[in-house]
Amino acid sequence: MAMVNGYFHSTYYSEPTRFLYTWTIPNFSKLRQDIGGEDLLLPNGKDCSFSLRRDLGVLRLSMKTTCTLLTCSVTIFTCNGAALIRKKFMKTNEVKGGFSYYHLHLTLHDFNDLKDLPENVLFIVFAIHDPELMYKNFSTLQNGPKNEYLNYFRNLAADIKNAPDSLWKEKVTLRVGNDTEVVNKAVLCSRSPVFARILESDMENCVTIDDVTIEGIRDFVYFLHSGIVLDKGIDSLHNLYYIANKYDVAELFQESRNVLVSNFHPENVCKTLKLSRMFNDDYLNFSAMLFIQSNLRLVVNTEGWIDLMINEPKTAMKIIDFFFLDMKTRLDL
C-alpha cells in the first residue's frame, strides 16, 4: 500500500485482464481540495491515473488513460466493507496529449449516502478491465514511498534538535530474556511517546520486553536508526507492525503496513487480516479483504484460512459476503 499526498493506494489482480485499484481517503468530510491518485503504468505499457474533485453536494471522479479500450467501474465502500454506491465510468470525447478521459459524477442523492461514514473513512475501489493481454505485473510512476526514509530523518531531526545534551548521550537497553539491544535514548523517546513515558521514571534506562522476540527488537532498532523497514519475511513484518502499534511509533506503523500490503500472499494474508483486526486498523483490514476476495480460490486452500474458519468464522463469512458482493456488482454493471 503506497501513500501519496496523505491518501492510501493499493492494486490487486483478480483476473488476467482485470485488476482492482483502491483509494482510501481518511477524514472524508473535511476534504476540500482536489486530489490525485497514483499514476499507474499498466502491463500493456499504457498510462492510467485517477483524480477526485469535491464540490458542494457533488463528487466527481475522473480517469485519464492512454489506453482507449479500458472500461472501469467504481464501488464506494465504508471501512466496514459495506458498499454504498456502484457506478460505471463514462468515456468522453475529450482527448488531450494522447489521453482519453472518463468521468463519473455522483449526484446530490448519491452524495447523501456518503454522510456519517464510520470512522469518516471512504474506500473507493476501481475495477479496471483491459481487453488487451495483461500480465501480472505493473508499476507506478510515483517514487515517493522509496524515499520515505528521508522524510523519517527530516522528522527525527526536527523533533530532537532541542533535546537536552544529556539525553543525546544516554543509551537505553531493551531486554528480551537474556538478550539485549541498545538504542540512543533521544532517538527512541522522540519516535515513541510510550517509551518516553516508561523511561521518565526508569533511572536505569533498561526496559524488559516479554511479548516480542529479540529479532523483532533488533529490526525495530534498525528502523529507528535508518527509517527503513527490513523485509525479512512475514513474521518479521508482523513483529514490526505489532511493535509500532504497542509503542505508538507512527512512522514504523505506516511503513510496516505499506510493506505488509505489498507482501500479501495467499499463505499469509489471513494472519495479517487477524492482526489488523487486533489493532482496529481499517486500512489494513480492508486491503486484506480485497486481496482475499481477488484470490479466494488460492486462499481457502491455506492453513491461515482454516484457522480463520475455526477461530473467527464470523470474519471468514464477512469475506465470503464481500466476494459475492463483488460478483453481483460486476453482473449489475
Side-chain angles (χ1 to χ4, degrees):
M1 178 182 290
M3 185 171 76
V4 180
N5 300 324
Y7 305 96
F8 301 97
H9 309 262
S10 305
T11 308
Y12 310 87
Y13 278 90
S14 56
E15 295 173 5
T17 61
R18 178 177 180 268
F19 65 89
L20 305 177
Y21 170 63
T22 72
W23 201 354
T24 305
I25 303 176
N27 299 315
F28 175 73
S29 65
K30 299 179 181 179
L31 180 66
R32 294 294 180 267
Q33 79 278 19
D34 299 351
I35 58 174
E38 284 188 307
D39 296 323
L40 300 177
L41 181 62
L42 303 179
N44 61 11
K46 303 294 185 179
D47 297 322
C48 180
S49 64
F50 298 91
S51 61
L52 181 150
R53 181 173 185 174
R54 177 175 177 175
D55 295 321
L56 185 62
V58 177
L59 194 68
R60 170 175 165 166
L61 293 166
S62 298
M63 177 178 74
K64 70 174 185 178
T65 177
T66 54
C67 182
T68 59
L69 300 178
L70 283 186
T71 60
C72 182
S73 59
V74 178
T75 307
I76 297 179
F77 293 90
T78 68
C79 63
N80 298 324
L84 300 176
I85 297 170
R86 306 184 194 100
K87 298 283 185 179
K88 191 172 184 178
F89 268 109
M90 299 300 295
K91 187 177 181 180
T92 69
N93 294 323
E94 183 181 2
V95 178
K96 294 180 181 178
F99 284 92
S100 298
Y101 286 79
Y102 298 69
H103 296 304
L104 173 61
H105 294 268
L106 301 182
T107 65
L108 183 61
H109 173 74
D110 295 324
F111 200 78
N112 287 335
D113 290 337
L114 303 181
K115 294 180 179 178
D116 301 321
L117 288 168
E119 308 297 332
N120 199 20
V121 176
L122 189 70
F123 289 88
I124 307 176
V125 179
F126 302 89
I128 304 169
H129 176 74
D130 183 355
E132 299 180 13
L133 183 63
M134 296 174 66
Y135 297 95
K136 292 197 174 184
N137 55 68
F138 69 95
S139 62
T140 64
L141 304 184
Q142 297 280 354
N143 293 318
K146 295 180 181 179
N147 297 322
E148 278 303 308
Y149 76 98
L150 296 177
N151 293 329
Y152 172 82
F153 282 125
R154 184 183 297 113
N155 295 334
L156 177 63
D159 288 344
I160 67 175
K161 65 181 180 181
N162 296 321
D165 289 343
S166 59
L167 198 64
W168 286 79
K169 299 176 182 179
E170 291 187 54
K171 307 293 189 300
V172 174
T173 300
L174 304 179
R175 182 180 300 279
V176 179
N178 295 322
D179 297 308
T180 60
E181 189 71 11
V182 176
V183 61
N184 180 273
K185 187 173 183 178
V187 172
L188 177 64
C189 292
S190 71
R191 296 349 290 148
S192 169
V194 175
F195 272 116
R197 288 193 296 270
I198 292 172
L199 292 167
E200 280 180 356
S201 57
D202 190 334
M203 302 303 294
E204 296 183 358
N205 283 341
C206 182
V207 180
T208 299
I209 298 169
D210 58 11
D211 56 351
V212 179
T213 65
I214 188 61
E215 289 78 13
I217 293 301
R218 286 170 179 157
D219 291 342
F220 168 52
V221 171
Y222 181 88
F223 175 82
L224 292 176
H225 292 160
S226 67
I228 295 173
V229 169
L230 289 175
D231 186 356
K232 295 166 59 177
I234 195 65
D235 290 336
S236 171
L237 293 173
H238 285 160
N239 275 332
L240 286 173
Y241 179 80
Y242 177 85
I243 291 169
N245 278 276
K246 180 178 179 180
Y247 295 106
D248 194 15
V249 186
E251 293 101 339
L252 178 59
F253 169 69
Q254 181 59 57
E255 279 301 292
S256 61
R257 180 167 61 179
N258 289 347
V259 181
L260 276 172
V261 172
S262 67
N263 279 270
F264 276 158
H265 186 276
E267 294 290 343
N268 65 42
V269 67
C270 290
K271 187 174 181 180
T272 302
L273 175 70
K274 290 176 67 175
L275 194 60
S276 73
R277 295 174 67 82
M278 179 188 301
F279 294 106
N280 298 314
D281 185 345
D282 291 326
Y283 307 115
L284 186 57
N285 177 73
F286 190 81
S287 297
M289 287 182 65
L290 272 176
F291 181 87
I292 295 172
Q293 174 212 58
S294 301
N295 299 273
L296 187 61
R297 186 171 181 177
L298 296 174
V299 172
V300 297
N301 286 313
T302 66
E303 292 182 4
W305 177 262
I306 299 302
D307 177 73
L308 201 64
M309 288 290 289
I310 293 172
N311 296 303
E312 296 189 30
K314 190 173 181 179
T315 300
M317 291 306 99
K318 282 186 177 181
I319 295 170
I320 298 301
D321 289 342
F322 197 48
F323 175 81
F324 283 108
L325 170 65
D326 178 63
M327 293 291 290
K328 182 180 184 302
T329 299
R330 292 162 63 184
L331 290 173
D332 290 344
L333 292 170

